[in-house]
Amino acid sequence: MTFDCYISGIPKGIDALIPPVGTANLPVSDHCAVFPGFCDVHVHFREPGFSYKETVASGSAAAARGGYTAVCTMPNLNPVPDSPEHLAVQEAMIAEQALIRVYPYGAITVGEQGIKLADLQAIAPHVVAFSDDGRGVQSEGIMREAMLTAKGLGKMIAAHCEDNRLLRGGYIHEGAYAALHGHAGICSESEWGQIRRDLEMVRETGCAYHVCHISTKESVALLRQAKREGLDVSCETAPHYLVLDENDLKEDGRFKMNPPLRSPADREALIEGLLDGTIDIIATDHAPHSVEEKAKGLRGSAFGIVGLETAFPVLYTKLVVPGILSVEKLLDLLAYNPRKRFGIPLAQNDCTVWDLDAEYSVDPDDFLSKGRATPFEGMRVRGRCLMTVCGGRIVYRDEGQKI
């Protein structure tokens, strides 16, 4: 089956992927497409430890509804997966609840505290990469040791780059909106400064290195140069950084994420980075919280938004339909590149079927995720997921619910 193209009507051959069901009752228009199952290398399913925010079951259901058949879950959990014993708790939950393929990260440091390396050798065979996502590794010495160890184990470091010394209590971008409304800002250097530090160590160690959720023009420039040098580096950004900026901020917790929405110039640089290949991957950084945790405005709400159920419709509407990106390029960013970089196979019986003519407004009340906080609430988008198949099994099917 050819995945990366539009197919008019019901895609031929999909019956071979889903023989028990067929396609006669799919609620389709005359403009459908079958795509490979998407792969998100940056999600938070919150289990073990924070099941009131999300569970493996609810998170994987949301992923399936968004067209994803594989995700990588970040390690800011309780217990943190920093040893085989702690990782086993998460693995048991994945085995019991996951609707799709779920690949856990292992922590870089014990408890993600940045003080002592986790048992990287013991957990390496069971994790997709090492990350302390949610926190930047502040110690240069610890990060160098982690890179050397990961290099020896044939594993990648996926870095949340954030210099705590430069945060100064900030919670949105240090820009025009913060100045106008009296908010404490997060400077761009808190991100790109640590990327610059880490790239120097990549030059020393030869470690495979991936940067999570880049948001600034300086980050793009640093990674572009690193790739020109031939360093083994990659990076991701998220849908909200590509279609929103600080001019879209409202006094609402659903606009608070880390890193924050940056300036229009940063957003434009990120799009340029997609087009020239500097940015390899679009990942959602799906980070659900309870309603109460997101109801305290920009100042008091927890960092994080949900994104699995809106990623493709938002990107298709805002980037593909206007001609900024081709659908083939979008599939590279959502499906092919993540798997290639992280060594995640794409099974031939993993696919997702979309009605590309369906138009609707994003309504968080319809989400399968426990999280409801999205800056895209009310946005008119095109593209509705009709079905997602993982391992030849239907894991999501639109049953005509209001979306």
Side-chain angles (χ1 to χ4, degrees), residues 3 13 65-66 308 363 366 382:
F3 283 121
R65 186 179 184 231
L308 285 165
D363 184 353
D366 294 323
R382 281 176 54 185

mmCIF file of all heavy atoms in Angstrom, residues 3 13 65-66 308 363 366 382:
data_model
loop_
_atom_site.group_PDB
_atom_site.id
_atom_site.type_symbol
_atom_site.label_atom_id
_atom_site.label_comp_id
_atom_site.label_asym_id
_atom_site.label_seq_id
_atom_site.Cartn_x
_atom_site.Cartn_y
_atom_site.Cartn_z
ATOM 1 N N PHE A 3 1.281 4.813 1.215
ATOM 2 C CA PHE A 3 0.705 5.604 2.291
ATOM 3 C C PHE A 3 0.705 7.091 1.994
ATOM 4 O O PHE A 3 -0.241 7.793 2.293
ATOM 5 C CB PHE A 3 1.492 5.374 3.583
ATOM 6 C CG PHE A 3 1.192 4.077 4.255
ATOM 7 C CD1 PHE A 3 2.195 3.161 4.484
ATOM 8 C CD2 PHE A 3 -0.086 3.767 4.661
ATOM 9 C CE1 PHE A 3 1.931 1.973 5.123
ATOM 10 C CE2 PHE A 3 -0.352 2.582 5.294
ATOM 11 C CZ PHE A 3 0.654 1.677 5.522
ATOM 12 N N GLY A 13 -7.430 -1.485 -0.657
ATOM 13 C CA GLY A 13 -6.483 -2.305 0.074
ATOM 14 C C GLY A 13 -6.601 -2.203 1.572
ATOM 15 O O GLY A 13 -5.993 -2.979 2.293
ATOM 16 N N ARG A 65 -6.841 8.301 18.526
ATOM 17 C CA ARG A 65 -7.787 9.222 17.890
ATOM 18 C C ARG A 65 -7.062 10.276 17.058
ATOM 19 O O ARG A 65 -7.594 10.784 16.063
ATOM 20 C CB ARG A 65 -8.654 9.899 18.940
ATOM 21 C CG ARG A 65 -9.749 10.765 18.330
ATOM 22 C CD ARG A 65 -10.615 11.404 19.392
ATOM 23 N NE ARG A 65 -11.702 12.143 18.767
ATOM 24 C CZ ARG A 65 -12.005 13.411 19.049
ATOM 25 N NH1 ARG A 65 -11.308 14.079 19.944
ATOM 26 N NH2 ARG A 65 -13.008 14.017 18.449
ATOM 27 N N GLY A 66 -5.838 10.590 17.442
ATOM 28 C CA GLY A 66 -5.051 11.552 16.679
ATOM 29 C C GLY A 66 -4.294 10.945 15.526
ATOM 30 O O GLY A 66 -3.566 11.654 14.828
ATOM 31 N N LEU A 308 -2.272 15.557 21.355
ATOM 32 C CA LEU A 308 -2.342 14.392 20.481
ATOM 33 C C LEU A 308 -3.551 14.407 19.551
ATOM 34 O O LEU A 308 -3.465 13.966 18.400
ATOM 35 C CB LEU A 308 -2.358 13.106 21.322
ATOM 36 C CG LEU A 308 -1.015 12.704 21.927
ATOM 37 C CD1 LEU A 308 -1.211 11.664 23.025
ATOM 38 C CD2 LEU A 308 -0.075 12.179 20.859
ATOM 39 N N ASP A 363 -13.032 21.188 20.121
ATOM 40 C CA ASP A 363 -13.822 21.222 21.348
ATOM 41 C C ASP A 363 -13.202 20.265 22.362
ATOM 42 O O ASP A 363 -13.303 19.044 22.213
ATOM 43 C CB ASP A 363 -15.267 20.802 21.056
ATOM 44 C CG ASP A 363 -16.166 20.898 22.279
ATOM 45 O OD1 ASP A 363 -15.649 21.155 23.387
ATOM 46 O OD2 ASP A 363 -17.389 20.707 22.136
ATOM 47 N N ASP A 366 -14.721 16.979 23.792
ATOM 48 C CA ASP A 366 -14.775 15.750 23.009
ATOM 49 C C ASP A 366 -13.502 14.921 23.118
ATOM 50 O O ASP A 366 -13.435 13.823 22.555
ATOM 51 C CB ASP A 366 -15.034 16.078 21.535
ATOM 52 C CG ASP A 366 -16.409 16.681 21.306
ATOM 53 O OD1 ASP A 366 -17.351 16.253 21.984
ATOM 54 O OD2 ASP A 366 -16.523 17.588 20.465
ATOM 55 N N ARG A 382 -9.506 21.527 9.590
ATOM 56 C CA ARG A 382 -9.909 20.518 8.622
ATOM 57 C C ARG A 382 -9.149 19.230 8.888
ATOM 58 O O ARG A 382 -7.967 19.258 9.241
ATOM 59 C CB ARG A 382 -9.622 20.990 7.196
ATOM 60 C CG ARG A 382 -10.648 21.974 6.661
ATOM 61 C CD ARG A 382 -10.256 22.476 5.281
ATOM 62 N NE ARG A 382 -10.017 21.385 4.334
ATOM 63 C CZ ARG A 382 -9.575 21.576 3.093
ATOM 64 N NH1 ARG A 382 -9.322 22.800 2.673
ATOM 65 N NH2 ARG A 382 -9.386 20.549 2.288
#
